[in-house]
Amino acid sequence: MSGLRDELLSGIRASREKFESAGDRAEELRTLPHDAVALLRTLGLFWLKTPAELGGTPLPPVEFSDVIEELAYIDTSTAWAAMIGAGCNGLTGGWLPEEGARRIYGAAGGDRPVVAGQLVPRGTGHSVRGGYLVSGRWGFSSGIVHADWLIGAFKPDSGDGGRPTGFPLMIVFLVPKDQAEVIDNWHVAGLQGTGSLDFSLDGVFVSAEMTYRMGTPAVRGGDLFRLGMPAFVSNEVPPLAIGLARRALDDITELAMHTARFPGGPTVSERAVFHKELGRAETRIKAARAVHREAMAQAWEAAVAGTVPGEEIQLAVTTASIYAVETCSDVVSDLFRYGGGRVLALSNPMQRHLRNVLAARQHVALSEEHYEAAGRYILQSAKTRRP
């Protein structure tokens, strides 16, 4: 393990009280408070996937998982902000052409930017001299309130010279946030503190150097950026869900030791059924963590060896990611029942854990279509082995 990982974990643990306080305020603000954002900046957590040549401090994927898991154990909204900021900066710094990357990241030693947005192609781009006129509306742009730049994707409205194999033609773009309309519509049941507002563009000119084609190889960044998609972003939501589930287990354990379902009855911690549920929950969390870490380690091994992980490894990563998040979601839901009516109170952390993990499970990268793709791959492999 690297010294940077250990340093980050130490810094996160030392800041636990501040991050927990920020998480409470984020629920009311619907975005992370300024002081928490400043602390994330100070710790460097937004740039753990940014190429070193652009001022980042990239971590291997399993070590990045360690950091996000630890942060999520303390506060989910804070971890989500760090996770999305790191991912969006990585997608920007690893793939944007040189001129565009230097425009965003500037000279070494300057203030490092925060990027927010999402890559679902919700807009269109009209090809013009030197770039595109981009219009559309993009949702779930977590961290947009504290971002400097926005990332999104669109489908060109005309032929644009072919496409990378296996990908529909989609263009990723970057714009300064002040060129977009930020739409304050984040009124939700889960992940309330993540500030995942929409933004829209209406005929905004985006120069060619601020775009790249989705599915093309990264242009800088070394081994980490050789992971390819989806492995590059598959170490984000799963460790967050694992950290959240670990915290839910600890919180319900503490509650159970001094809570009885009925006056004069045994505490929840004295009931055999709770003993069984607690032991089962811990094992399920460890299993989710292990299957995800094993898949990410395998992808990393391929990248370090100089190859982009192949289809079988990419499918292993995506299915492990889904399994990890859905397992954590089920664990938190099962543990929640043992808290009785008291955990419905907004002051009780268990209701927030449940809302947050259910919201995280809805992430676009966790579609069960990945299980379908894995199943098709297994069947096709079996057919090719038949005599």
Side-chain angles (χ1 to χ4, degrees):
M1 295 296 178
S2 70
L4 175 60
R5 167 199 174 271
D6 294 342
E7 179 183 333
L8 290 170
L9 292 178
S10 177
I12 289 168
R13 290 164 185 157
S15 304
R16 174 171 176 167
E17 185 176 338
K18 294 178 181 178
F19 283 137
E20 286 182 334
S21 173
D24 292 338
R25 286 176 286 143
E27 290 287 298
E28 299 178 6
L29 296 171
R30 295 179 294 115
T31 190
L32 211 60
H34 294 304
D35 57 335
V37 174
L39 186 51
L40 290 175
R41 282 181 173 273
T42 298
L43 292 173
L45 293 170
F46 289 126
W47 303 284
L48 301 182
K49 287 189 172 185
T50 302
E53 51 263 57
L54 296 177
T57 51
L59 279 178
V62 172
E63 294 189 18
F64 181 83
S65 294
D66 290 341
V67 171
I68 296 301
E69 180 182 329
E70 187 68 26
L71 198 53
Y73 180 89
I74 294 172
D75 179 65
T76 303
S77 293
T78 304
W80 193 274
M83 173 196 81
I84 294 296
C88 287
N89 267 289
L91 293 169
T92 301
W95 277 265
L96 208 60
E98 189 68 19
E99 186 177 346
R102 294 300 172 185
R103 178 181 169 191
I104 291 177
Y105 292 95
D111 289 338
R112 291 181 290 185
V114 175
V115 182
Q118 53 115 314
L119 298 191
V120 177
R122 300 295 188 189
T124 59
H126 176 64
S127 183
V128 296
R129 184 183 179 89
Y132 301 89
L133 295 178
V134 181
S135 299
R137 177 166 172 166
W138 293 262
F140 304 104
S141 301
S142 302
I144 192 171
V145 176
H146 56 259
D148 308 297
W149 290 81
L150 303 180
I151 189 170
F154 62 82
K155 296 179 181 179
D157 63 3
S158 60
D160 200 39
R163 64 182 185 178
T165 302
F167 284 82
L169 180 55
M170 291 185 286
I171 305 295
V172 179
F173 68 91
L174 275 294
V175 294
K177 187 174 72 173
D178 60 14
Q179 291 188 5
E181 178 188 2
V182 177
I183 302 163
D184 187 2
N185 63 336
W186 190 242
H187 300 276
V188 291
L191 297 174
Q192 286 180 325
T194 63
S196 304
L197 285 63
D198 289 11
F199 73 91
S200 67
L201 301 175
D202 185 10
V204 172
F205 175 73
V206 179
S207 58
E209 68 268 15
M210 304 305 293
T211 69
Y212 64 86
R213 293 188 183 184
M214 191 179 296
T216 56
V219 297
R220 67 182 65 79
D223 294 338
L224 181 61
F225 295 83
R226 201 176 295 116
L227 285 170
M229 295 296 177
F232 182 78
V233 296
S234 292
N235 62 336
E236 297 178 2
V237 182
L240 179 138
I242 291 164
L244 186 163
R246 285 178 43 226
R247 180 62 180 270
L249 187 148
D250 286 352
D251 284 348
I252 198 68
T253 300
E254 176 65 26
L255 178 68
M257 288 191 290
H258 55 79
T259 298
R261 293 300 299 270
F262 302 100
T267 63
V268 175
S269 65
E270 295 174 297
R271 299 174 60 201
V273 67
F274 181 70
H275 300 166
K276 169 257 184 183
E277 193 64 56
L278 207 60
R280 181 168 174 260
E282 184 174 38
T283 302
R284 293 168 76 190
I285 294 170
K286 288 180 177 178
R289 189 178 193 271
V291 72
H292 177 256
R293 299 301 181 89
E294 180 182 35
M296 290 307 309
Q298 187 179 17
W300 179 240
E301 182 179 354
V304 171
T307 62
V308 176
E311 182 181 10
E312 184 174 358
I313 294 177
Q314 297 285 359
L315 286 171
V317 166
T318 55
T319 53
S321 297
I322 301 167
Y323 176 79
V325 177
E326 69 182 10
T327 297
C328 290
S329 175
D330 292 344
V331 165
V332 176
S333 297
D334 290 343
L335 292 174
F336 184 83
R337 301 198 320 272
Y338 290 88
R342 61 185 52 79
V343 295
L344 297 175
L346 293 179
S347 59
N348 191 287
M350 286 302 298
Q351 54 79 28
R352 190 187 300 178
H353 298 327
L354 180 62
R355 290 188 291 107
N356 284 342
V357 77
L358 291 176
R361 190 171 179 176
Q362 301 301 108
H363 194 281
V364 65
L366 302 171
S367 169
E368 292 186 349
E369 291 172 326
H370 293 303
Y371 279 145
E372 297 171 17
R376 287 193 297 270
Y377 182 86
I378 292 169
L379 287 169
Q380 187 60 43
S381 297
K383 289 177 182 178
T384 60
R385 293 194 300 268
R386 293 176 65 181

